[in-house]
Amino acid sequence: MLTALARTATRRPLTVMLLWGLFLLLGFGLGTGVFARLSDNVPEVPGTESESAARYLDEMDPAGSSITGVVAGTPVADAGLRAEVERAVADVRKVAGVAAVPDPYATPGMIAEDGRALIVPVTLEGGLDDDAEERTLDAAAERIREIDAPDVHVSGGPLLGLQMGERAAQDVKNAELISLPVVLALLLVVFGGLRSALLPLVVAVSGIAGAFLALFLFSEVTDISVYAIQVTTMLGLGLAVDYALLMLVRFREERRTTEDVVEAVHRTVAAAGRTVLFSGLTVAVSLTGLLVFPSVFLRSMGLAVAAVVVIDMLAALTLLPALLARFGGRIPPAKSPGNGEEEGRFFARVARFAARRKVAVLAVVVPVLLVLALPVAGMSIVVGDARQLPADSEARQLQDTVAAHFPPGTGVSPVVVVAKPGTDAATADRIRALAPGATTRELPGGGAVIEIRPPGEADGAEATALVERVREMRGDAPVEVTGTAARLVDFRQMLAERAPWAALTVLAGIVLLLFAFTGSVLLPLRTVVTTLLSLAAALGVVVWVFQDGHLAGLLGAEGLGALSLTAPPLIVAIAFGLAMDYELFILARMREARLRSGDDREAVVTGLSRSGRVVTCAALLLAVVFAAFMTGGFSPILQIGLGLTLAVLIDATVVRMLLVPATMALLGRHAWWAPAPLRRVHDRFGLREEQTELPREKVPSGV
């Protein structure tokens, strides 16, 4: 298959480039339409009690969504301001699609005790389609913003999702403007030439277009989270650069032994192309674990990111060979090693040190990683609110203004208890007695809705405890609980129940792929253990920073007491796949050296000396991309970005440069062992790097 792809790309390079050009136009034209379809409704899980109760409410009492305006910064009793607010309220009531706007001056609780702020809630009609709802939102919000006061903000409900989508689009644009020039500069340092440096960026732009297009297509059939656009774009950009870097390094090596550019491209695809293929498959398999969860958010993220990985892989295996066939003759070959100037001298020295001091390396590195991972034991997740947004966002400003002028709990989403027909009065009374100020409204058919406002945040410990208390005391009564806190409780339970199955699915797939690649039983197990160590360490630091608040200010964030529920599963799934990425880069070179020399110990040193520079550069480039996306200030993206950056850097340095040679030396020749039946299976069906006639370079024994 790879040979056929290479021959097609080199025979018809212009056709291949034209097809990818059309793909780019489609991605940046049609695909960018996804920004208007992003949703902030993350925690819903089909089949859970909270989702069932919400669906029942929609059927029995189809109410429209609502938004909130706040006017602050001046005495609201001022006659001029009052007249202006009342005119605005009257105008908003006339907007098509608006169901109700209470008079803030006549409604209890709408004016702050200090007299310097008031709230204007707007309820929309039920049953509006998306276009009508958006028109209503825009008209109502714009009219409220016209009120002449120092601080006027409008957000909440569906408007919050639209504002997050706009912020995501701006953050993606800024991240690309930051990361692409820096990546280009680093590639210039790596390759020393503009042509070589530009080719990975061409592939990277294809990855970005693929991210947009994949998300747009998925938005036709499911909700796409506001987090998805940033996560998929950063991965589309980063992995494309990684794969192109690996292919270009191999191409320059092949050019040392042949002046025929087309032949060098064929050899590159036959050798490094297999590594790219397996790398893409392992990353995609790592993301299949997200499909085990019934959460629409996690499933859509898993599918979208996997689609982007496949697009990057195809671009590296088709577009890049076509570009090399057309322009590769102007790219200089890699320098021949000799005269003590071996490219991998430093990495060979590190590998030899780790192999000789294997017990000492393991005794130091493993405890350090375990210490970094300790905060994971206390990790907590929440749905989150506008505090996760940057301080200059309108939704955050609205929440901060309400928090500064109104009592705690104002505007907090209530715990919603649905008492279906047949619920006895005593049970309903006990539920209402759980917290002061509970309100009840009747539903058609004899049911009722009891709303209980928690004393803290909508998804805080008090709110989730309240949900669990209601569920404990209802007995056999037909009572269900929904709302933000109930969705969080159900999401946590879903993660606890499905996480073992997701882990089993991913590990089984990874072990099978690594066995097919290496023919070893022990190497996949060693790889999984060392990868989990680096992953736990990275996640532990994220908890220490964003949950506990240590050094969060340096990243423009704050400790929120918990992580966003989106961050841990995405960090684990994506970082695990990226770690497999670098593992395959190294194992491919180790296996080549072992097949060539037959020396297991020397194969480890040679493999690291030839792959260490590529892995380090790839990790640095990927870290630059992730760091650029962290400039937006959106807390969940900061968490994901920091987690992935740390996971990549720890894995590419501490794990691959120290733990890998140390554990390989500890295993010795058994590292490549497999039982005879499995060995025969691999000999018949296993896939491997196709060997090419490279110079028989040897890392000097004196290194």
Side-chain angles (χ1 to χ4, degrees), residues 43 381-383 459 464 484-493 565:
I381 59 172
V382 294
V383 176
D459 54 3
T464 55
T484 302
R487 290 192 181 100
L488 176 60
V489 171
D490 291 341
F491 195 93
R492 287 173 174 170
Q493 184 177 353
L565 59 80

Side-chain angles (χ1 to χ4, degrees), residues 49 417-431 450 470-481:
E49 179 182 320
V417 181
V418 179
K420 296 182 179 179
T423 303
D424 59 281
T427 299
D429 289 340
R430 287 198 302 271
I431 292 173
I450 304 172
V470 172
R471 290 177 175 177
E472 287 174 1
M473 66 185 300
R474 65 189 170 189
D476 297 329
V479 171
E480 292 182 332
V481 189

Side-chain angles (χ1 to χ4, degrees), residues 547-579:
Q547 179 171 311
D548 300 337
H550 302 290
L551 305 180
L554 297 178
L555 299 174
E558 57 188 279
L560 299 177
L563 299 185
S564 167
L565 59 80
T566 62
L570 292 181
I571 291 173
V572 170
I574 296 171
F576 193 86
L578 293 176

